[in-house]
Amino acid sequence: MFVDGATLDLVLRGLLLTALAMGWVVLLTRVNGLRSFSKMTNFDFVMTVAMGSLLAGASQSTNWDAFIQAGLAMAALFAVQYSAARLRRSSDKFEAMMQNTPIVLMRDGIILEDALRHTRVARSDLIAKLREANVLDFSQVRAVILETTGDISVLHGSDCSQDVLQGTTYIE
């Protein structure tokens, strides 16, 4: 692809194609914006994984056609993400279709066992998250929420506004 020697070509191809592909991803990210690799939705997670796979494929291309195809697939993925984000902002129906609902796992110091069962979150995992959030006593916990991204948010303190819990689901 670059030189006649197999080993030297392999090294050059790996270095140059990786640099070109990375530059392309940076350019696409600059055009698409900061949200490109956020973890706000399931779609964003899929975008990140797919982009990594396409970047690896581009870096390992053995000919220009394969490299260009991977680059075009990256651009298409960014275009789909941009379109999906616009649709989510403009349509509540599309938002509901694309997005899971955050689920309350614990409220006012009480673990909601049905919610744990429904979400398949182990009690021990919940307690580990409480420790990570420096919770010293269950009575300090206002709410624990399994977010749409799979992250667990722990809200503790003296009070929790209903506005913060907006859009969450209770399973009892």
Side-chain angles (χ1 to χ4, degrees):
M1 198 167 163
F2 291 106
V3 295
D4 287 335
T7 303
L8 182 58
D9 187 64
L10 183 72
V11 171
L12 283 175
R13 193 172 57 221
L15 293 173
L16 293 175
L17 293 181
T18 299
L20 285 172
M22 283 295 293
W24 181 238
V25 169
V26 169
L27 177 66
L28 290 171
T29 303
R30 296 286 295 173
V31 169
N32 200 43
L34 293 173
R35 195 175 178 287
S36 298
F37 292 109
S38 71
K39 257 185 38 172
M40 293 183 184
T41 67
N42 297 334
F43 191 84
D44 296 332
F45 174 73
V46 171
M47 164 79 176
T48 302
V49 172
M51 193 57 59
S53 178
L54 287 169
L55 181 60
S59 298
Q60 297 174 1
S61 297
T62 56
N63 60 55
W64 286 109
D65 287 345
F67 181 78
I68 291 169
Q69 183 180 6
L72 290 173
M74 289 177 199
L77 197 54
F78 274 98
V80 168
Q81 184 194 36
Y82 177 82
S83 300
R86 297 271 313 213
L87 281 169
R88 281 184 58 230
R89 281 187 39 215
S90 64
S91 167
D92 290 340
K93 237 179 212 184
F94 192 77
E95 167 79 15
M97 184 177 74
M98 289 281 296
Q99 186 78 352
N100 294 325
T101 304
I103 296 176
V104 178
L105 302 176
M106 187 172 180
R107 184 73 168 126
D108 294 325
I110 299 168
I111 295 175
L112 305 175
E113 297 293 342
D114 287 342
L116 291 181
R117 250 187 314 284
H118 177 78
T119 58
R120 294 180 304 281
V121 172
R123 185 181 178 98
S124 60
D125 292 336
L126 174 66
I127 292 171
K129 287 296 181 181
L130 294 174
R131 287 192 302 265
E132 285 178 16
N134 296 317
V135 171
L136 301 175
D137 190 272
F138 281 8
S139 66
Q140 296 175 331
V141 178
R142 297 298 113 234
V144 176
I145 302 163
L146 178 61
E147 302 291 355
T148 60
T149 59
D151 292 331
I152 293 180
S153 299
V154 178
L155 308 174
H156 51 87
S158 59
D159 193 29
C160 181
S161 165
Q162 279 303 117
D163 293 339
V164 175
L165 299 175
Q166 181 181 349
T168 60
T169 298
Y170 288 90
I171 297 173
E172 299 183 67

